[in-house]
């Protein structure tokens, strides 16, 4: 076979050339044809999902896009329902946990006592449940997902960073504390330092977003000021007072040795 001008190698055979979808054609996923060899016209690659999904990486719902293009409608519905159920359950657990955190903080005195108020019938912290629900619904309804993701990640990372630092502090400050699970000092310090450093690096990467930075820095400043102005002076644990609630001790209440004495 004679070599073509500009396309032949030392063997005289034509060098296969392939075409790929241009940037402007990437959104039009349905019109993309497989890449073909210009020499013989044969497909140069098979149109597998791993190939054509490269053209649609930066989309709001990549999972939904992937299952929609698989040609299995029943599977796509199943995956979407599972994703919806998973996200809903995570949000419910986070809201549930936040109300209990506020309840515990208010019971200690770090927050006003109204957040520790228990409903006489349902035995739940109903005031802060309403407050947390309204605040969460407001942010979810009037802010973007990128902003919410960045700010919540910031809060979580900073909390974990302080936890790592606190573990090291308590290891040397309070070596007499009862610790059911023990580790060598060098190991726990190494893990805590690495954890705090990684959290700090991730926080700095999120702080590069102007909207996240403009919201979180004042938010953190207000929280810190509130702690030093109110929480530190009203904390019962800081004064050496044992904090007890209406619920029994977990080990005693589960066995029925201690009853649940509720004070309305």
């Amino acid at each position: 076979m004679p070599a073509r001008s500009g396309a032949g190698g030392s063997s005289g055979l034509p060098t296969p050339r392939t075409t790929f979808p241009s940037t402007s054609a990437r959104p039009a996923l349905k019109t993309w044809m497989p890449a073909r060899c210009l020499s013989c016209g044969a497909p140069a690659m098979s149109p597998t999902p791993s190939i054509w999904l490269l053209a649609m990486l930066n989309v709001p719902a990549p999972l939904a896009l992937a299952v929609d293009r698989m040609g299995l409608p029943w599977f796509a519905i199943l995956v979407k329902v599972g994703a919806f159920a998973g996200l809903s359950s995570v949000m419910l657990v986070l809201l549930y946990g936040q109300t209990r955190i506020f309840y515990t903080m208010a019971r200690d005195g770090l927050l006003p006592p109204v957040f520790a108020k228990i409903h006489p019938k349902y035995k739940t912290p109903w005031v802060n449940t309403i407050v947390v629900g309204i605040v969460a619904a407001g942010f979810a309804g009037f802010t973007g997902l990128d902003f919410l993701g960045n700010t919540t990640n910031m809060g979580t990372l900073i909390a974990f960073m302080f936890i790592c630092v606190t573990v090291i502090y308590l290891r040397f400050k309070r070596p007499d504390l009862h610790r059911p699970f023990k580790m060598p000092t060098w190991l726990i310090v190494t893990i805590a330092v690495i954890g705090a450093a990684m959290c700090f690096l991730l926080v700095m990467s999120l702080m590069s977003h102007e909207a996240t930075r403009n919201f979180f820095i004042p938010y953190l400043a207000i929280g810190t000021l509130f702690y030093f102005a109110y929480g530190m002076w009203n904390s019962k644990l800081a004064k050496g007072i044992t904090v007890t609630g209406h619920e029994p001790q977990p080990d005693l209440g589960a066995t029925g040795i201690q009853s649940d004495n509720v004070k309305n």
Side-chain angles (χ1 to χ4, degrees):
M1 179 182 296
R4 297 187 180 181
S5 176
S10 60
S11 63
L13 297 177
T15 302
R17 292 181 296 165
T18 57
T19 58
F20 297 91
S22 63
T23 304
S24 60
R26 287 178 183 175
L29 194 59
K30 294 183 178 180
T31 62
W32 177 31
M33 297 300 292
R36 293 180 176 274
C37 175
L38 297 182
S39 302
C40 59
M45 60 179 68
S46 59
T48 58
S50 61
I51 298 300
W52 51 254
L53 275 180
L54 292 176
M56 299 291 288
L57 285 177
N58 190 22
V59 293
L63 180 61
L65 174 68
V67 295
D68 283 340
R69 297 300 187 272
M70 291 177 63
L72 299 173
W74 64 270
F75 184 70
I77 295 176
L78 182 63
V79 171
K80 293 176 183 179
V81 170
F84 177 80
L87 290 173
S88 302
S89 62
V90 169
M91 290 188 291
L92 178 63
V93 170
L94 290 176
L95 291 174
Y96 180 89
Q98 185 61 63
T99 59
R100 271 56 186 178
I101 291 174
F102 280 172
Y103 164 71
T104 303
M105 293 174 65
R107 195 174 63 177
D108 175 59
L110 294 174
L111 291 177
V114 65
F115 288 98
K117 187 176 179 60
I118 300 298
H119 195 278
K121 179 179 180 181
Y122 300 107
K123 306 298 186 294
T124 56
W126 64 279
V127 174
N128 75 66
T129 300
I130 295 175
V131 173
V132 169
I134 293 175
V135 172
F139 275 96
F142 298 101
T143 59
L145 288 178
D146 291 338
F147 173 79
L148 286 176
N150 290 339
T151 52
T152 52
N153 287 335
M154 283 280 294
T156 303
L157 289 170
I158 289 181
F160 286 151
M161 182 175 65
F162 276 105
I163 289 173
C164 293
V165 174
T166 305
V167 167
I168 300 175
Y169 171 79
L170 290 176
R171 183 74 172 196
F172 295 96
K173 183 67 175 180
R174 297 293 304 276
D176 57 317
L177 288 177
H178 175 63
R179 295 176 172 88
F181 180 77
K182 297 182 179 180
M183 295 176 61
T185 301
W186 68 268
L187 181 59
I188 194 172
V189 170
T190 302
I191 295 176
V193 169
I194 294 175
M198 295 301 296
C199 289
F200 179 77
L201 291 176
L202 292 174
V203 166
M204 290 297 100
S205 66
L206 290 174
M207 291 286 278
S208 61
H209 300 276
E210 183 179 359
T212 304
R213 184 170 61 251
N214 292 340
F215 171 81
F216 196 80
I217 291 178
Y219 172 80
L220 184 62
I222 293 173
T224 304
L225 179 63
F226 182 84
Y227 170 76
F228 285 104
Y230 179 87
M232 186 176 67
W233 303 101
N234 293 277
S235 175
K236 297 181 178 67
L237 289 176
K239 300 175 183 178
I241 302 174
T242 302
V243 180
T244 58
H246 75 283
E247 70 277 2
Q249 295 290 338
D251 53 344
L252 301 179
T255 58
I257 298 176
Q258 179 178 335
S259 61
D260 188 357
N261 297 321
V262 181
K263 296 180 180 180
N264 294 326

